[in-house]
Amino acid sequence: MNKIIIKNVSYIDLKNKTHGETDILIENGDIINVARHIPTPAERSAEQTTVIDGNGLVAAPSFVDVHVHLREPGREDKETICTGSRAAARGGFGTIFAMPNTDPIADNPQIIRYVKDKAEHEALVHIAPVAAITRGSEGKNLTDMYELLENGAIAFSDDGNPVMDSGIMRSALKYAKMFGATIIVHAEDKNIARGGHVNEGAVSDRLGIRGIPASAEEVMIARDIILAGETGAKIHFAHISTAGSVELIRRAKKSGVDVSCEVAPHHIALTESCIVGDDAVFKVNPPLRTQADVDALKSGLADGTIDMIATDHAPHTIGEKDQVLEVAPFGMIGLETSFAVCHSELVLGNVLTLEQLIYKMAIAPRLRFDLPAADIKKGSCAEIVLVDPSKKIVVDMSTFESKGRNCPFDKWELHGRIEHLICRGKHVVDQGVIKVGKG
Amino acid sequence: MIKNLISINDLNDEDLRAIFSSANSFREIATRSVKKIPTLRARTVVNLFLEPSTRTRSSFEMAAKRLGADVINMAEKGSSLEKGESFKDTAKTLDALKADIIILRHSHVGAAMKLASYVEASVINAGDGSHEHPTQALIDIFTANEFYAELAGYKAGEGQIVDTEGPGSPGSPIWLDHLAGRRVVMVGDVKHSRVAHSNILAFKRVGAKVTLCGPSSLLPDKPDEMGVDHTTDLDQAIKDADILYVLRLQKERQIENLIPSVREYVRMYKVDEEKLSRNKKDNLLIMHPGPVNRDIEISGEVLDSHLRGHFAASDQSGVAQQDSGRKKNLILEQVENGIIIRMAVLYLLSGAQEQD
């Protein structure tokens, strides 16, 4: 019997309402009581109850990150399912989606099952594998979506690559619609982007480096909104980064297209002016944009156009990122800093309330992708994160669980700390640190 | 004390004056029969040229040898880089060999800055992708500045090292105000030109006004944020240019469909006598960083005309015929000044100056 009691915690429910000092009793993976002053269970034989002091903390359904690169199979030097899950846990995530651009690409049931099985044995949190839209993510032939879903795929994406052929994309949407499956779109017109490395604008001018115009993203968002509208399929735009993209999605939602989107913490906290010249930590796709884009993304979060936060956690080896901009791979890690960055930028920045941020990190992803609900109420599965919103932290990459060190927020002073994570009813993160041993 | 020269922005005004002043004194050395001074004796200068170059590398090699340094030339071909040695490891090896100054040319933006982060040695950027080529810009503003200084009555290469402790006297050759207010028109593929990027910074630093001219696909995206004017109309831009700085057209741009064809570019932007005749200024300086694509961005006629000094065409008795016209072709002078400016840069970075 595995018992946990959280004492004296505030919690946010599915209706985004905050409740004051409450106790939560968890037994064998389920919440069996949520009330004030629950007595600590009497100890029987060798049973131990873990007592968590919730004073000053806020409990919420654990976060869900729908965009994570776990790199396994193929690039276990960058990250593994195990280390990625540890990073996720430390970041307060109880569920993460594993993107399919592994090596080999997860475009067949065998890889999906491999990821699921490995996760079952090694991951500290739930891992939902995303399967590729096209074979090899080459954009030419559809994958066996039915079989992939049967084997546990949660959604489809060619992330890392766009589906350049509009006809193929239309077929994919039409086919996915049969199953009510969502296609996660990496919106990038490669012919406009043309091998660019940073945003096209003042910084690409100053560095003399090829830039990626905003239109590279917006053109594909416009295209795929139309295709989704025409086919009736569910579409979700990954990592949007420009003001134009926000506006396109805003209008699409108004006109009834079944569209959702996510934004990454780095796109709301950083701009292209971070890029000085030789630090490839700031190289990411889509690239860091302008202040005007950041402002529009924040407005999009506030008015509901942007549904959720997703980190696009993309670990690389230190050697790979210690290369010049034109050679280094794109990507930043983000699992272990997401809450702190978003809380500091958005909540303390008066863009969202804490409840609204929690909604975007924990509830919206579950609703959009039909994941089991995780409400803090009697009878629910215990998938809970406890945060300390006011705790000041200084980001220290050297303590990260992730293998990646490509973190743009290193040494930043932020407010907001993940104190505890309960996943499957097990106490996985204790006072900010992975708890050794189960339960 | 400046350690690395990666960008023009690394140099303050005092550094610029020191470089110009040293260059002037080094010019005198070139007229001696023994063209060496022992300033960099026992120092090791490494030319790490990972992108093809003859003139820049030879220029740096000459400069270092004139100062008495030991020079090692390394290129990608025939080096361990061909065996797959990483850039970082090559850098660490040079450090272990106790190189004092490394001059790097590389095809990637930021390579010189990256190298500087790996090594103890001083690093001079001889061109990193399309980012910058600071020594070329120094040569160019030095050459242009000298023309106007001479016009104002000062002679180049008097052989005196002017005191750089104080401000020097306004109007003297090393004082930089001869270019203030002049209009520089840069024609060509500015977007992909490291020489253009460094020159924009350098000319603006000495108070000149810069106009970029070329097809819009070959100009920067946000020229206003660079503090320059821009136009796609060369006929218009050339009217009030004091300095016409012509850039080489790289054929890759047609392959990339940034321009439809070389022919189209030549029709619109080739600098020839007809274009030059539209200029209304007292003097028009014609400059080009080299190498030149004769009859593409600049006509053969212009290249072979308007030369001055010992470059001017000689008559049968060997006397140089000075072109008294308003147009002045400074292209060969730029090449000539390459060695003395690079000597001056090596001198500045070596800290030898402080010991004198």
Side-chain angles (χ1 to χ4, degrees), chain A residues 194 199-202 204-211 272 276-280 290 321-327, chain B residues 87-88 107-111 113-114 117-118 129-131 191-192 197 220-223 225-226 253 256-258:
Chain A
R194 280 167 128 253
N199 184 38
E200 188 174 78
S204 65
D205 282 344
R206 174 167 49 81
L207 294 176
I209 211 171
R210 194 165 293 203
E272 60 180 0
V276 177
D278 76 334
D279 197 347
T290 67
K321 276 301 223 179
D322 182 26
Q323 292 184 105
V324 292
L325 277 173
E326 288 176 317
V327 172
Chain B
F87 186 54
K88 184 171 188 176
S107 54
H108 288 139
V109 170
M113 206 185 297
K114 190 60 86 177
S117 73
Y118 293 148
S130 302
H131 177 228
K191 189 168 194 175
H192 302 97
H197 293 142
D221 286 295
K222 299 238 151 74
E225 296 197 32
M226 290 173 116
R253 307 305 159 222
E256 292 167 5
N257 265 302
L258 289 174

Coordinates of all heavy atoms in Angstrom, one line a residue, chain A residues 194 199-202 204-211 272 276-280 290 321-327, chain B residues 87-88 107-111 113-114 117-118 129-131 191-192 197 220-223 225-226 253 256-258:
Chain A
R194 N 14.9 28.4 -46.7 CA 16.2 28.3 -47.5 C 17.4 28.1 -46.7 O 18.4 28.8 -46.9 CB 16.4 29.5 -48.3 CG 15.6 29.5 -49.5 CD 15.6 30.9 -50.1 NE 16.0 30.9 -51.5 CZ 17.1 31.3 -52.0 NH1 18.0 31.7 -51.2 NH2 17.4 31.2 -53.2
N199 N 16.3 34.4 -37.2 CA 15.2 35.2 -37.8 C 15.8 36.1 -38.9 O 16.9 36.7 -38.7 CB 14.5 36.0 -36.7 CG 13.3 36.8 -37.3 OD1 12.6 36.3 -38.1 ND2 13.1 38.0 -36.8
E200 N 15.0 36.3 -40.0 CA 15.5 37.3 -41.0 C 15.1 38.7 -40.5 O 14.0 39.0 -40.3 CB 14.9 37.0 -42.4 CG 15.5 37.9 -43.4 CD 15.0 37.5 -44.8 OE1 13.9 38.0 -45.2 OE2 15.7 36.8 -45.5
G201 N 16.1 39.5 -40.4 CA 15.9 40.9 -39.9 C 17.2 41.5 -39.5 O 18.2 41.2 -40.1
A202 N 17.1 42.4 -38.5 CA 18.3 43.1 -38.1 C 19.5 42.3 -37.7 O 20.6 42.6 -38.0 CB 17.9 44.1 -37.0
S204 N 20.1 39.0 -38.5 CA 20.7 38.3 -39.7 C 21.5 39.2 -40.5 O 22.6 38.9 -41.1 CB 19.7 37.5 -40.5 OG 18.8 38.4 -41.1
D205 N 21.1 40.5 -40.6 CA 21.8 41.5 -41.4 C 23.2 41.7 -40.7 O 24.2 41.8 -41.3 CB 21.1 42.9 -41.4 CG 20.0 42.9 -42.4 OD1 19.9 42.0 -43.3 OD2 19.1 43.8 -42.3
R206 N 23.1 41.9 -39.4 CA 24.3 42.3 -38.6 C 25.4 41.1 -38.7 O 26.6 41.4 -38.8 CB 24.0 42.6 -37.2 CG 25.2 42.8 -36.3 CD 24.9 43.4 -35.0 NE 23.8 42.8 -34.2 CZ 23.9 41.7 -33.5 NH1 25.1 41.1 -33.4 NH2 22.9 41.2 -32.9
L207 N 24.9 39.9 -38.6 CA 25.8 38.8 -38.6 C 26.2 38.3 -40.0 O 27.2 37.6 -40.1 CB 25.1 37.6 -37.9 CG 24.9 37.8 -36.4 CD1 24.1 36.6 -35.8 CD2 26.2 38.0 -35.6
G208 N 25.5 38.8 -41.0 CA 25.8 38.4 -42.4 C 25.4 36.9 -42.5 O 26.0 36.2 -43.3
I209 N 24.3 36.5 -41.8 CA 24.0 35.1 -41.8 C 22.6 34.9 -42.5 O 21.8 35.8 -42.4 CB 24.0 34.6 -40.4 CG1 24.4 33.2 -40.3 CG2 22.7 34.8 -39.7 CD1 24.7 32.8 -38.8
R210 N 22.3 33.8 -43.1 CA 21.1 33.6 -43.7 C 19.9 33.6 -42.7 O 20.0 32.9 -41.7 CB 21.1 32.3 -44.5 CG 20.0 32.2 -45.5 CD 20.3 31.1 -46.5 NE 21.4 31.4 -47.3 CZ 21.6 30.9 -48.5 NH1 20.8 30.0 -49.0 NH2 22.7 31.2 -49.2
G211 N 18.8 34.3 -43.0 CA 17.7 34.4 -42.1 C 16.5 33.6 -42.5 O 16.3 33.3 -43.7
E272 N 15.5 37.8 -30.8 CA 16.6 37.6 -31.6 C 17.8 38.5 -31.1 O 19.0 38.1 -31.4 CB 16.3 38.0 -33.1 CG 15.9 39.5 -33.3 CD 15.6 39.9 -34.7 OE1 15.7 39.0 -35.6 OE2 15.3 41.1 -34.9
V276 N 24.4 37.1 -30.2 CA 25.5 38.0 -30.3 C 26.5 37.6 -31.4 O 27.0 38.4 -32.1 CB 26.3 38.0 -29.0 CG1 27.5 38.9 -29.1 CG2 25.4 38.6 -27.9
G277 N 26.6 36.3 -31.7 CA 27.5 35.9 -32.8 C 28.1 34.5 -32.7 O 28.2 33.8 -33.7
D278 N 28.5 34.1 -31.5 CA 29.0 32.8 -31.5 C 28.4 31.8 -30.5 O 28.8 30.7 -30.4 CB 30.5 32.9 -31.2 CG 30.8 33.1 -29.7 OD1 29.9 33.7 -29.0 OD2 31.9 32.7 -29.2
D279 N 27.2 32.2 -29.9 CA 26.6 31.3 -29.0 C 25.4 30.6 -29.6 O 24.3 31.2 -29.7 CB 26.2 32.0 -27.7 CG 25.9 31.1 -26.6 OD1 25.8 29.8 -26.9 OD2 25.8 31.5 -25.4
A280 N 25.6 29.4 -30.0 CA 24.5 28.7 -30.7 C 23.5 28.2 -29.8 O 22.5 27.5 -30.2 CB 25.2 27.5 -31.5
T290 N 11.2 38.9 -33.0 CA 11.3 40.3 -32.5 C 10.4 40.5 -31.3 O 9.5 39.7 -31.0 CB 10.9 41.3 -33.6 OG1 9.5 41.1 -33.8 CG2 11.6 41.0 -34.9
K321 N 26.6 21.8 -29.8 CA 26.1 23.2 -29.7 C 27.3 24.1 -29.6 O 27.1 25.3 -29.7 CB 25.2 23.3 -28.5 CG 23.8 22.9 -28.7 CD 23.1 23.8 -29.8 CE 21.7 24.2 -29.5 NZ 21.1 25.0 -30.5
D322 N 28.5 23.6 -29.3 CA 29.7 24.5 -29.2 C 30.3 24.6 -30.6 O 31.5 24.5 -30.8 CB 30.7 23.9 -28.2 CG 31.9 24.8 -28.1 OD1 31.8 26.0 -28.3 OD2 33.0 24.2 -27.8
Q323 N 29.4 24.9 -31.6 CA 29.9 25.1 -32.9 C 29.4 26.5 -33.4 O 28.5 27.0 -32.8 CB 29.4 24.0 -33.9 CG 30.0 22.6 -33.5 CD 29.5 21.6 -34.5 OE1 30.2 21.2 -35.4 NE2 28.2 21.1 -34.4
V324 N 29.9 26.9 -34.5 CA 29.5 28.2 -35.0 C 28.0 28.1 -35.4 O 27.5 27.0 -35.7 CB 30.3 28.7 -36.2 CG1 31.7 29.1 -35.7 CG2 30.4 27.7 -37.3
L325 N 27.3 29.2 -35.5 CA 25.9 29.3 -35.8 C 25.5 28.5 -37.0 O 24.5 27.9 -37.1 CB 25.4 30.7 -35.9 CG 25.1 31.5 -34.6 CD1 24.9 32.9 -34.9 CD2 23.9 30.9 -33.9
E326 N 26.3 28.7 -38.0 CA 25.9 28.1 -39.3 C 26.0 26.6 -39.3 O 25.5 25.9 -40.3 CB 26.7 28.7 -40.5 CG 26.4 30.1 -40.8 CD 27.2 30.8 -41.8 OE1 28.5 30.6 -41.7 OE2 26.7 31.5 -42.7
V327 N 26.6 26.0 -38.3 CA 26.8 24.6 -38.3 C 26.1 23.9 -37.2 O 25.6 22.7 -37.3 CB 28.3 24.2 -38.2 CG1 28.6 22.8 -38.0 CG2 29.1 24.7 -39.4
Chain B
F87 N 37.5 21.6 -35.5 CA 38.0 23.0 -35.4 C 38.6 23.3 -34.0 O 39.6 23.8 -33.8 CB 36.8 24.0 -35.7 CG 37.2 25.4 -35.8 CD1 38.2 25.8 -36.7 CD2 36.5 26.3 -35.0 CE1 38.5 27.2 -36.8 CE2 36.9 27.7 -35.1 CZ 37.9 28.1 -36.0
K88 N 37.9 22.8 -33.0 CA 38.3 23.0 -31.6 C 39.7 22.4 -31.4 O 40.5 22.9 -30.8 CB 37.3 22.5 -30.7 CG 37.6 22.7 -29.2 CD 36.4 22.3 -28.3 CE 36.7 22.8 -26.9 NZ 35.6 22.6 -26.0
S107 N 34.9 29.8 -43.7 CA 33.7 30.1 -44.4 C 32.5 30.3 -43.6 O 31.4 30.6 -44.0 CB 33.4 28.9 -45.4 OG 33.4 27.7 -44.6
H108 N 32.6 30.1 -42.2 CA 31.4 30.3 -41.4 C 31.5 31.5 -40.5 O 32.5 31.9 -39.9 CB 31.3 29.1 -40.4 CG 30.9 27.8 -41.1 ND1 31.5 26.6 -40.8 CD2 30.0 27.6 -42.1 CE1 30.9 25.7 -41.6 NE2 30.0 26.3 -42.4
V109 N 30.3 32.2 -40.4 CA 30.2 33.3 -39.6 C 30.5 33.0 -38.1 O 30.0 31.9 -37.7 CB 28.7 33.8 -39.7 CG1 28.4 34.9 -38.6 CG2 28.4 34.4 -41.1
G110 N 31.2 33.8 -37.4 CA 31.5 33.5 -36.0 C 32.7 32.7 -35.8 O 33.0 32.4 -34.6
A111 N 33.3 32.2 -36.8 CA 34.4 31.2 -36.6 C 35.6 31.9 -35.8 O 36.2 31.3 -35.0 CB 34.9 30.7 -37.9
M113 N 35.5 34.4 -33.7 CA 35.1 34.6 -32.3 C 35.2 33.3 -31.6 O 35.6 33.2 -30.5 CB 33.6 35.1 -32.3 CG 33.3 35.9 -31.0 SD 31.6 36.4 -30.9 CE 31.3 37.5 -32.3
K114 N 34.8 32.2 -32.3 CA 34.8 30.9 -31.7 C 36.3 30.5 -31.4 O 36.6 30.0 -30.3 CB 34.1 29.9 -32.6 CG 33.9 28.5 -32.1 CD 33.0 28.4 -30.9 CE 31.5 28.4 -31.1 NZ 30.8 28.2 -29.8
S117 N 37.8 32.0 -28.4 CA 37.3 31.4 -27.2 C 38.1 30.2 -26.8 O 38.1 29.7 -25.7 CB 35.8 31.2 -27.2 OG 35.5 30.0 -28.0
Y118 N 38.8 29.6 -27.8 CA 39.5 28.4 -27.6 C 41.0 28.6 -27.3 O 41.6 27.7 -26.7 CB 39.4 27.4 -28.8 CG 38.1 26.9 -29.2 CD1 37.8 26.6 -30.5 CD2 37.1 26.5 -28.2 CE1 36.5 26.1 -30.9 CE2 35.9 26.0 -28.6 CZ 35.6 25.8 -29.9 OH 34.4 25.2 -30.3
G129 N 32.9 33.8 -43.1 CA 31.7 33.7 -43.8 C 31.3 35.1 -44.4 O 32.2 35.9 -44.8
S130 N 30.1 35.5 -44.3 CA 29.6 36.8 -44.8 C 29.6 37.9 -43.7 O 29.0 38.9 -43.8 CB 28.2 36.7 -45.3 OG 28.2 35.8 -46.4
H131 N 30.2 37.6 -42.6 CA 30.1 38.5 -41.4 C 31.0 39.7 -41.5 O 30.5 40.8 -41.7 CB 30.4 37.7 -40.1 CG 30.4 38.5 -38.9 ND1 31.4 38.5 -37.9 CD2 29.5 39.4 -38.5 CE1 31.1 39.3 -37.0 NE2 30.0 39.9 -37.2
K191 N 24.5 42.2 -49.2 CA 24.0 41.2 -48.2 C 25.0 40.1 -47.9 O 25.1 39.7 -46.7 CB 22.7 40.6 -48.7 CG 22.0 39.8 -47.7 CD 20.6 39.5 -48.2 CE 19.8 38.9 -47.0 NZ 18.4 38.7 -47.3
H192 N 25.7 39.6 -48.9 CA 26.6 38.5 -48.7 C 28.0 38.9 -48.6 O 28.9 38.0 -48.7 CB 26.4 37.5 -49.8 CG 24.9 37.0 -49.9 ND1 24.1 37.6 -50.8 CD2 24.2 36.1 -49.2 CE1 22.9 37.0 -50.7 NE2 23.0 36.1 -49.7
H197 N 30.1 44.6 -45.0 CA 29.7 44.8 -43.6 C 30.7 45.5 -42.8 O 30.4 46.4 -42.0 CB 29.4 43.4 -43.0 CG 28.2 42.7 -43.6 ND1 28.2 41.3 -43.8 CD2 27.1 43.2 -44.0 CE1 27.0 41.0 -44.4 NE2 26.3 42.1 -44.5
P220 N 20.7 44.2 -47.5 CA 20.2 43.7 -46.2 C 18.7 44.0 -46.0 O 18.1 44.9 -46.7 CB 21.0 44.6 -45.2 CG 22.1 45.2 -45.9 CD 21.7 45.3 -47.3
D221 N 18.1 43.2 -45.1 CA 16.6 43.4 -44.9 C 16.2 44.7 -44.2 O 15.2 45.2 -44.5 CB 16.1 42.2 -44.1 CG 16.1 41.0 -44.9 OD1 15.3 40.9 -45.9 OD2 16.9 40.1 -44.6
K222 N 17.0 45.1 -43.3 CA 16.6 46.2 -42.5 C 17.8 47.3 -42.5 O 18.4 47.6 -41.5 CB 16.4 45.8 -41.0 CG 15.3 44.8 -40.9 CD 14.2 45.3 -40.0 CE 12.8 44.7 -40.3 NZ 12.6 43.3 -39.9
P223 N 18.0 47.9 -43.7 CA 19.1 48.8 -43.8 C 19.0 50.0 -42.9 O 20.0 50.6 -42.4 CB 19.1 49.2 -45.3 CG 17.8 48.8 -45.8 CD 17.3 47.7 -44.9
E225 N 18.0 50.0 -39.9 CA 18.5 49.7 -38.6 C 20.1 49.7 -38.6 O 20.7 49.7 -37.5 CB 18.0 48.4 -38.1 CG 16.5 48.5 -37.8 CD 15.9 47.4 -37.0 OE1 16.6 46.9 -36.1 OE2 14.8 47.0 -37.2
M226 N 20.7 49.6 -39.8 CA 22.1 49.7 -39.9 C 22.6 51.1 -40.0 O 23.8 51.4 -40.0 CB 22.6 49.0 -41.2 CG 22.4 47.5 -41.1 SD 22.8 46.8 -42.7 CE 24.2 45.8 -42.3
R253 N 24.8 33.7 -56.7 CA 23.5 34.4 -56.5 C 22.5 34.0 -57.6 O 21.3 34.0 -57.4 CB 23.7 35.9 -56.4 CG 24.7 36.3 -55.3 CD 24.5 35.7 -53.9 NE 25.7 35.7 -53.1 CZ 26.0 34.7 -52.3 NH1 25.3 33.7 -52.2 NH2 27.2 34.8 -51.7
E256 N 21.1 30.7 -56.9 CA 20.1 30.7 -55.9 C 18.9 31.5 -56.3 O 18.0 31.7 -55.5 CB 20.7 31.4 -54.6 CG 21.8 30.6 -54.0 CD 22.5 31.5 -53.0 OE1 22.1 32.6 -52.8 OE2 23.5 31.0 -52.4
N257 N 18.8 31.9 -57.5 CA 17.7 32.7 -58.0 C 17.4 34.0 -57.2 O 16.3 34.5 -57.1 CB 16.4 31.9 -57.9 CG 16.1 31.3 -59.2 OD1 16.0 31.9 -60.2 ND2 16.1 29.9 -59.3
L258 N 18.5 34.6 -56.7 CA 18.4 35.9 -56.1 C 18.4 37.0 -57.1 O 17.9 38.0 -57.0 CB 19.5 36.1 -55.0 CG 19.4 35.2 -53.8 CD1 20.6 35.4 -52.9 CD2 18.1 35.6 -53.0

